[in-house]
Amino acid sequence: MVPGENEQGLHRIVVVGGGAAGLQLATKLGDKFGRSKDVHVTLVDRARTHIWKPLLHEVAAGSLDVGHHAVDYLHHAHQHHFRYRIGEMTGLDRTARTIQLAASHDAEGREITPVRAVGYDTLVMAVGSTTNDFGTPGVKDHAIALDTQDQAVRFHQRLVNGMLRAHTQVGPVRPGQLHVTVIGAGATGTELAAELHRTVRDVVSTGMDRIDPAKDLKITLVEAADRILPAVPPRLSSEVMALLAKIGVEVRVQARVTEVRADGVALADGSFIPSELVVWAAGVKAPPFLQGIGGLETTRTNQLVVTPTLQTTHDPDIFAIGDCAYLVEAGSDRPVPPRAQAAHQQASHLIKQIPARIAGKPLKPFKYRDFGSLVSLGEYSTVGSLMGFIRGKNMLIAGLFARMMYRSLYKMHEQALHGTMKTALDAAARVLTRRTEARVKLH
């Protein structure tokens, strides 16, 4: 047990996972209970900083500097009166009401924090999701996912290194040497393909004159379904496909990947796409360590099954929110989707319900509301649909208004964490620094 966290009469709230939902919840509960002697709030995450997951494709493309947008957990916890504990959750003891954390190590392998247990009275699981490769051969060895900040940075470094290699090598650029294949045409894959088209050309323009963008650079977007962006209406999907074709991104639908190799991607129809880099963005599942953890009910994709109050079915002391939670609402035959807006709504719900639980009051059920989808194609366009925007009707949007709506989602996230004043100051500072910095990160 971590010293100082087993005080008698203390209600211990532990939030596992510092993504959008978990960090928002810990921040608001810390603000509420921070000076209380009866309630302590703790956030657990294996990383040291947070970045809004919908921005990871921009980090991977190099159009967003992590240093300007990352939230330092330790500093943020101090500012908002909750505790931060670094570590990856590995186990759950429901009888002792403790979670087990693995040891953490530095880049040289030296131990930073030991294996330890953290006690709880109310536990909230908000560990998000990881990529689901569906057992496809070669994915783990030759493809990069965009689940975490480290993965996005790693992809960008490999992208820039590959272009430097091609520019300085003795011979000409080989066929497929500077090709990128993105597998999965949901929001992440489609946004990444569009953003990469611009940023790789910006990198080349910095002096890599031995690379011909029109001939040497190629981006392919692969989707097993019959259209891209299944979360948006078919009309918008067709418009995005047309735009991608216009800027030179090849889109292949009804194309099932059978293997990812070191030199490219094999498809079920027998064709092969030569690729220097492969991104897998084709599906999600909850982290594997959740499967059956502590005897809790889980799905085949490792999600924790929860009741309408977001409590796990086998233990009312444990809640789950975001991508790792499986909830089928009354009157629906489908679960709440693993999307950022669902995680935000569930966090907002628990911000009110956990204080009620501590006070011994009954909990209200969660109600999900679908506000639609927005997809950013970088500087080329932004499209989306707003659900129930005008008297219950859906509204299709594109262009500047859609882009403003998309950016406002991030501002709402920042405001939930930092408040209006700091969000406004940070936004102003980024506008000023963009005038003196490169359009694309080159390191």
Side-chain angles (χ1 to χ4, degrees), residues 272-284:
F272 184 77
I273 306 174
S275 309
E276 170 77 6
L277 285 171
V278 177
V279 176
W280 187 275
V284 298

Side-chain angles (χ1 to χ4, degrees), residues 13 15 20-33 39 41 122 124 309-310 319 321 343-359 363-364 366 412-413 415-417:
I13 303 170
V15 181
L23 184 56
Q24 178 185 345
L25 179 61
T27 299
K28 295 300 184 183
L29 292 177
D31 290 341
K32 181 176 181 61
F33 294 117
V39 180
V41 180
T122 296
V124 181
T309 56
L310 302 179
F319 295 74
I321 59 176
H344 168 73
Q345 292 177 36
Q346 289 170 341
S348 298
H349 181 76
L350 285 194
I351 288 167
K352 299 177 182 178
Q353 298 308 307
I354 287 182
R357 164 182 160 82
I358 294 174
L363 303 184
K364 296 180 180 179
F366 169 74
M412 290 171 60
H413 171 64
Q415 188 174 15
L417 298 182

Side-chain angles (χ1 to χ4, degrees), residues 308-376:
T309 56
L310 302 179
Q311 293 165 291
T312 54
T313 53
H314 293 174
D315 194 330
D317 294 331
I318 302 175
F319 295 74
I321 59 176
D323 292 2
C324 71
Y326 182 88
L327 170 65
V328 179
E329 295 183 289
S332 175
D333 58 353
R334 294 183 178 183
V336 173
R339 299 171 63 185
Q341 61 175 307
H344 168 73
Q345 292 177 36
Q346 289 170 341
S348 298
H349 181 76
L350 285 194
I351 288 167
K352 299 177 182 178
Q353 298 308 307
I354 287 182
R357 164 182 160 82
I358 294 174
K361 299 178 181 178
L363 303 184
K364 296 180 180 179
F366 169 74
K367 298 292 183 183
Y368 172 64
R369 183 180 176 188
D370 188 348
F371 289 99
S373 301
L374 289 169
V375 179
S376 171

Side-chain angles (χ1 to χ4, degrees), residues 291-314:
Q291 186 61 50
I293 190 168
L296 298 177
E297 183 182 3
T298 52
T299 68
R300 289 183 299 174
T301 55
N302 310 326
Q303 289 175 294
L304 295 166
V305 182
V306 297
T307 67
T309 56
L310 302 179
Q311 293 165 291
T312 54
T313 53
H314 293 174

Side-chain angles (χ1 to χ4, degrees), residues 92 100 110 204 208 226 297 308 346 414 420:
L92 168 66
Q100 285 74 52
R110 293 176 297 182
V204 169
M208 298 184 185
D226 58 359
E297 183 182 3
Q346 289 170 341
E414 288 190 301
T420 302

Side-chain angles (χ1 to χ4, degrees), residues 111-134:
E111 184 176 272
I112 302 171
T113 58
V115 174
R116 62 208 189 282
V118 176
Y120 70 87
D121 295 295
T122 296
L123 175 64
V124 181
M125 301 297 297
V127 292
S129 60
T130 61
T131 296
N132 189 351
D133 62 16
F134 306 103

